[in-house]
Amino acid sequence: MDDSPSSETDDAPSPSAPDEVNPWVVRFFLILAFGLAFGIEGMTLVRSYLLSGEEGAGPVAEEQESPADTLGTRSPDAPLRIGDDLLPATDVTERVVAMQVRAQSSGPWTFRLAVAVDNRTETPYRLTLRALKTDDGTVLDEGRTATWPPGDSTRFRAAWPMGADARPQSLTAEAQLQHAPGSTRTVRRRISFGHVPVQMER
C-alpha cells in the first residue's frame, strides 16, 4: 500500500495573501484629514479675532454718551446744562437759558443764572433759588425769589457774588404752587453744576 499523500491534501487551496493598499489612497486621506483640521482651526481663529475687535470698539461709544437712563432722558443727578428744566416734577417749565461766571482781575467773582419760566397753569407760581455751594466749600444761603401769576411767562435772573477763582457746585431750587387758599404744593430739588463758562472782565 502506497504512503503518498491523498488527493484531498493536494487539492486544498493555499491561504491567499492580503490585498495590498494603494499608497496614494492613504496619502489622499491623510491630506484630507489634515486639511480639514487646519481649515477649522483657521476659521475659529479668524472668528475670534473679528469678535474681539467688535467688543473692543463698544466701550468707546458708550463713554462718549451723556449720562442718561435707558429711555434716553437725562438722569436727575446729571449736572445742570443750558436747556435743562430746573424742576421737571412741576407743571411749570423752568428752562435754563444762561449760566456764566463773571470774573474780575481784582474783586469778587459773580455767578449768573437765567431761567425762562412759563407758567401755563391756573395757579400762582413761586420759584426760590437758595443755598448756593461753591467748590471751595462756601455756602451762600441768601435766596433769590420770583413769583408768576397764572399764564405768565417771563425770564428770571439771579446772581451770587463769590470768592475769586470759585466755581458754583450746587444749589437748591424750590417751587411753590398755590392750588387753593391754604393749599400749597412745594417741590424741592438739589441741583449740581458741571462746567460753567468763565468770562474775564477788566
Side-chain angles (χ1 to χ4, degrees):
M1 186 173 182
D2 297 336
D3 294 335
S4 60
S6 64
S7 59
E8 293 180 359
T9 304
D10 294 338
D11 296 339
S14 59
S16 59
D19 296 335
E20 295 183 359
V21 179
N22 192 335
W24 289 105
V25 175
V26 176
R27 293 175 184 173
F28 172 77
F29 280 108
L30 287 176
I31 293 173
L32 183 62
F34 281 106
L36 288 175
F38 281 113
I40 294 172
E41 188 68 22
M43 290 297 297
T44 304
L45 290 174
V46 171
R47 291 180 60 187
S48 63
Y49 175 78
L50 293 177
L51 289 176
S52 64
E54 292 176 357
E55 292 174 356
V60 176
E62 292 178 2
E63 290 174 359
Q64 293 174 351
E65 296 176 355
S66 59
D69 59 17
T70 55
L71 298 177
T73 57
R74 301 189 70 233
S75 168
D77 298 329
L80 188 69
R81 300 184 308 184
I82 293 178
D84 288 348
D85 197 343
L86 280 179
L87 297 166
T90 67
D91 296 331
V92 178
T93 302
E94 311 95 350
R95 192 77 58 190
V96 179
V97 294
M99 193 165 43
Q100 186 182 68
V101 173
R102 297 283 183 88
Q104 297 179 355
S105 57
S106 60
W109 290 18
T110 304
F111 172 55
R112 299 178 182 273
L113 180 66
V115 182
V117 177
D118 186 8
N119 182 16
R120 297 185 180 181
T121 67
E122 298 179 355
T123 61
Y125 175 79
R126 182 179 182 182
L127 176 64
T128 302
L129 304 177
R130 62 163 60 95
L132 175 68
K133 183 178 180 181
T134 61
D135 57 357
D136 60 3
T138 303
V139 178
L140 306 173
D141 201 26
E142 184 179 355
R144 308 292 188 268
T145 303
T147 304
W148 291 262
D152 187 19
S153 299
T154 55
R155 185 167 295 191
F156 176 38
R157 293 181 175 87
W160 292 264
M162 304 183 303
D165 297 327
R167 302 289 192 281
Q169 189 176 67
S170 62
L171 63 76
T172 298
E174 182 180 284
Q176 292 182 340
L177 295 93
Q178 185 176 357
H179 295 285
S183 175
T184 303
R185 180 195 174 201
T186 302
V187 177
R188 188 180 296 106
R189 177 190 175 198
R190 189 67 181 172
I191 299 168
S192 63
F193 297 100
H195 172 70
V196 178
V198 178
Q199 180 180 353
M200 294 297 299
E201 297 179 347
R202 295 182 179 179

